[in-house]
């Protein structure tokens, strides 16, 4: 196992009715900015629950944050935070709202001239305004991590930054808040979380049995609960609770400790969202089988372990076992109603050339953190997904 340092002080308040505990965890003095998305919280009653929980506190609202939050939309929010001398940011929504708030929190305290620098250089963040979270869509793990993903509309760049300064002070995880989600968003969450685990697991053996068993358990739970969520006629509390807590655990920094991680599927997926607006999880379901196929020789050992412990596949013909595990992974996404080919979304060779050009111009050599998915693999990966 490699050396590591883990710091995760996020307070999790999990379960029914936990919104009422906001009162205990947000300072009673000072000014709050309550941030939300395109309006789901008005329809499902969450807005009123938050207003009640905030009580007599002084707050302003910043709504309308879109999926895959845009830098240009967030710039005015940074100015409002500075002008109104906001002390605390409350994010109520899915990954997009929470990531947007993390960016606002860091950018409001940023001393450089161009806040976009934060996206290319996480270490440029030296402090941030305190954040509290009420999660309404289990998927990204952002409620318990220091990551944020922001899109610059002008250039179609979708980039991430990561800093402990934006770790939320608390996150409220009430499975009942997910009942109003459309089914495709529940499924997106399951797939995103499953692939977060894969990005931190399916690389090379690191003599890390704790991380491996943790990862395999999460994948098995997401598989079972995801299938259940897809077939259930109405939301079931324990099903949603398991999905919610699995998604948080899938990306709260624990799994990546002491092991070699990948993240090339995410990097390529972000390109597809930036260029074509596809849902984040959908892009991952398209790309992942291509990365698995391209890395099947180098990552043989871990692929065989995955095949056995997640799909129950064993055999003396290792190549067939690996091929079958790739097919099973793809089938898992299809069985949840997600189409997994670029052509299913009318995306063709032109986009592949554009992505290659964009990655080349960024001066990237490797896409994976474990330095095996080379820029030269990208054409094969993408063309195999046409
Ligand atoms: O905007 P509203 O009206 O709230 O509607 C949202 C949005 O349209 C809706 N929604 C959320 N909760 C709901 C609800 N609708 C009904 N009932 C509810 N309870 O769902 C739609 C999608 O929301 P969004 O926040 O965009 O989804 P998600 O949570 O999947 O977040 C995706 C974003 O997170 C980034 C992605 O790249 C993408 O930008 N990620 C962030 C990560 C992180 N910070 O660690 C890691 C991930 O890999 C990912 O990259
Ligand atoms: Zn993701």
């Amino acid at each position: 196992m490699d050396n590591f340092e883990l710091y995760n002080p996020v307070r999790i308040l999990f379960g029914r009715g936990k919104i009422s505990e906001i009162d205990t965890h947000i300072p009673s003095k000072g000014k709050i900015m309550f941030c939300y998305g395109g309006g789901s919280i008005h329809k499902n009653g969450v807005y009123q629950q938050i207003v009640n929980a905030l009580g007599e506190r002084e707050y302003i609202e910043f709504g309308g944050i879109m999926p895959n939050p845009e830098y240009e939309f967030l710039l005015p929010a940074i100015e409002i935070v500075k002008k109104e001398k906001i002390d605390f940011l409350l994010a109520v929504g899915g990954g997009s709202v929470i990531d947007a708030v993390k960016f606002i929190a860091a950018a409001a305290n940023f001393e450089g001239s161009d806040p976009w620098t934060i996206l290319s250089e996480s270490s440029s963040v030296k402090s941030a305004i305190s954040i509290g979270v009420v999660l309404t869509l289990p998927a990204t793990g952002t409620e318990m991590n220091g990551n944020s993903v922001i899109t610059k509309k002008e250039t179609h760049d979708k980039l991430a930054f990561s800093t402990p300064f934006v770790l939320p002070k608390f996150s409220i995880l009430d499975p009942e808040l997910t009942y109003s989600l459309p089914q495709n968003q529940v499924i997106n969450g399951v797939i995103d979380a499953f692939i977060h685990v894969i990005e931190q697991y399916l690389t090379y053996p690191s003599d890390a049995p704790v991380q491996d068993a943790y990862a395999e358990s999460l994948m098995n739970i997401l598989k079972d609960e995801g299938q259940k969520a897809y077939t259930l006629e109405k939301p079931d509390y324990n099903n949603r609770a398991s999905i919610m807590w699995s998604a948080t655990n899938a990306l709260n920094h624990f799994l990546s400790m002491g092991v070699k991680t990948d993240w090339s599927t995410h990097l390529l997926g972000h390109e597809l969202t930036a260029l074509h607006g596809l849902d984040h999880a959908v892009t991952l379901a398209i790309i992942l089988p291509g990365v698995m196929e391209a890395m099947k020789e180098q990552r043989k050992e871990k692929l065989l372990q995955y095949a056995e412990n997640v799909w129950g596949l064993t055999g003396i013909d290792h190549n067939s076992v690996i091929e079958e595990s790739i097919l099973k992974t793809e089938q898992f996404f299809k069985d949840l109603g997600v189409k997994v080919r670029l052509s299913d979304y009318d995306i063709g060779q032109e986009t592949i050339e554009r992505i290659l050009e964009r990655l080349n111009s960024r001066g990237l050599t490797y896409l994976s953190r474990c330095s095996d998915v080379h820029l030269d693999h990208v054409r094969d990966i993408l063309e195999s997904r046409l």
Side-chain angles (χ1 to χ4, degrees):
M1 199 186 311
D2 300 338
N3 291 358
F4 64 85
E5 179 177 334
L6 174 64
Y7 173 69
N8 194 331
V10 181
R11 182 190 301 274
I12 298 293
L13 300 154
F14 191 98
R16 285 190 180 100
K18 284 284 180 182
I19 284 185
S20 61
E21 293 182 21
I22 279 182
D23 193 37
T24 321
H25 300 287
I26 297 189
S28 53
K29 299 218 169 14
K31 213 164 173 184
I32 298 160
M33 187 154 95
F34 161 22
C35 304
Y36 51 87
S40 68
I41 68 163
H42 286 294
K43 293 190 202 125
N44 59 17
V46 173
Y47 176 85
Q48 198 52 48
Q49 288 187 55
I50 301 288
V51 169
N52 295 346
L54 285 173
E56 297 302 307
R57 286 177 178 77
E58 191 183 357
Y59 69 89
I60 58 170
E61 295 181 22
F62 182 76
I65 298 170
M66 65 288 280
N68 309 303
E70 290 169 5
Y71 174 72
E72 291 84 349
F73 181 82
L74 303 177
L75 288 176
I78 301 166
E79 292 315 309
I80 297 170
V81 167
K82 288 183 186 166
K83 190 165 151 255
E84 300 283 334
K85 299 196 178 2
I86 296 293
D87 304 291
F88 196 92
L89 294 166
L90 179 64
V92 184
S96 294
V97 171
I98 301 166
D99 283 7
V101 165
K102 288 177 173 179
F103 176 67
I104 297 168
N109 282 8
F110 185 65
E111 290 186 354
S113 54
D114 177 8
W116 186 250
T117 312
I118 293 172
L119 275 304
S120 51
E121 213 184 307
S122 296
S123 62
S124 66
V125 179
K126 305 290 181 212
S127 71
I129 295 178
S130 297
I131 298 168
V133 164
V134 178
L135 182 71
T136 64
L137 196 175
T140 62
T142 187
E143 65 279 5
M144 199 178 174
N145 71 38
N147 311 336
S148 161
V149 188
I150 303 294
T151 299
K152 197 175 199 179
K153 204 169 145 195
E154 186 197 349
T155 53
H156 294 284
D157 281 320
K158 188 177 187 207
L159 301 180
F161 73 98
S162 185
T163 164
F165 293 112
V166 298
L167 282 162
K169 297 288 171 241
F170 66 82
S171 284
I172 292 175
L173 276 63
D174 176 349
E176 287 187 343
L177 302 189
T178 72
Y179 286 8
S180 56
L181 280 168
Q183 197 195 47
N184 73 311
Q185 292 295 356
V186 177
I187 297 308
N188 277 350
V190 169
I191 292 178
D192 192 19
F194 187 88
I195 297 178
H196 290 158
V197 178
I198 295 255
E199 297 271 31
Q200 300 164 93
Y201 165 87
L202 204 50
T203 57
Y204 298 89
S206 299
D207 285 317
V210 172
Q211 293 87 323
D212 280 1
Y214 188 3
E216 287 157 4
S217 299
L218 287 172
M219 285 187 280
N220 281 309
I221 293 163
L222 285 162
K223 238 173 61 187
D224 295 347
E225 299 296 335
Q227 273 151 357
K228 216 186 277 173
Y230 189 63
T231 47
L232 280 170
E233 276 179 16
K234 57 182 179 39
D236 170 78
Y237 183 84
N238 287 321
N239 173 249
R240 290 296 170 91
S242 295
I243 291 175
M244 198 169 216
W245 191 224
S246 302
T248 302
N249 278 275
L251 195 48
N252 62 0
H253 302 303
F254 279 67
L255 285 181
S256 61
M257 292 299 119
V259 301
K260 288 158 189 67
T261 61
D262 182 355
W263 297 107
S264 56
T265 297
H266 270 69
L267 194 150
L268 290 173
H270 289 338
E271 289 297 300
L272 290 178
T273 300
L275 295 174
H276 293 280
L278 262 51
D279 284 356
H280 171 64
V282 169
T283 69
L284 306 179
I286 297 171
I287 302 286
L288 176 69
V291 173
M292 291 170 82
E293 190 67 40
M295 291 294 112
K296 68 183 179 193
E297 280 306 318
Q298 294 92 317
R299 298 186 184 175
K300 202 171 196 163
E301 257 186 89
K302 219 56 199 284
L303 273 158
L304 287 169
Q305 185 181 331
Y306 166 74
E308 181 167 2
N309 294 342
V310 179
W311 299 107
L313 301 166
T314 53
I316 42 169
D317 181 354
H318 287 173
N319 288 337
S320 310
V321 170
I322 289 173
E323 283 303 339
E324 206 178 332
S325 76
I326 299 174
L327 287 176
K328 288 257 185 202
T329 307
E330 191 172 325
Q331 194 58 43
F332 167 50
F333 305 145
K334 289 201 227 166
D335 288 346
L336 294 176
V338 173
K339 297 196 168 83
V340 297
R341 293 270 162 191
L342 288 167
S343 49
D344 292 324
Y345 303 90
D346 290 329
I347 297 174
Q349 197 65 37
E350 200 185 312
T351 296
I352 297 180
E353 302 306 329
R354 218 170 143 201
I355 292 177
L356 282 165
E357 252 172 56
R358 283 160 58 88
L359 297 182
N360 259 313
S361 71
R362 267 191 231 155
L364 274 180
T365 310
Y366 290 107
L367 280 77
S368 55
R369 303 234 176 115
C370 58
S371 304
D372 58 354
V373 183
H374 193 275
L375 197 55
D376 292 344
H377 290 109
V378 175
R379 181 176 294 283
D380 282 349
I381 292 172
L382 294 176
E383 287 183 351
S384 74
R385 305 309 300 157
L386 277 167

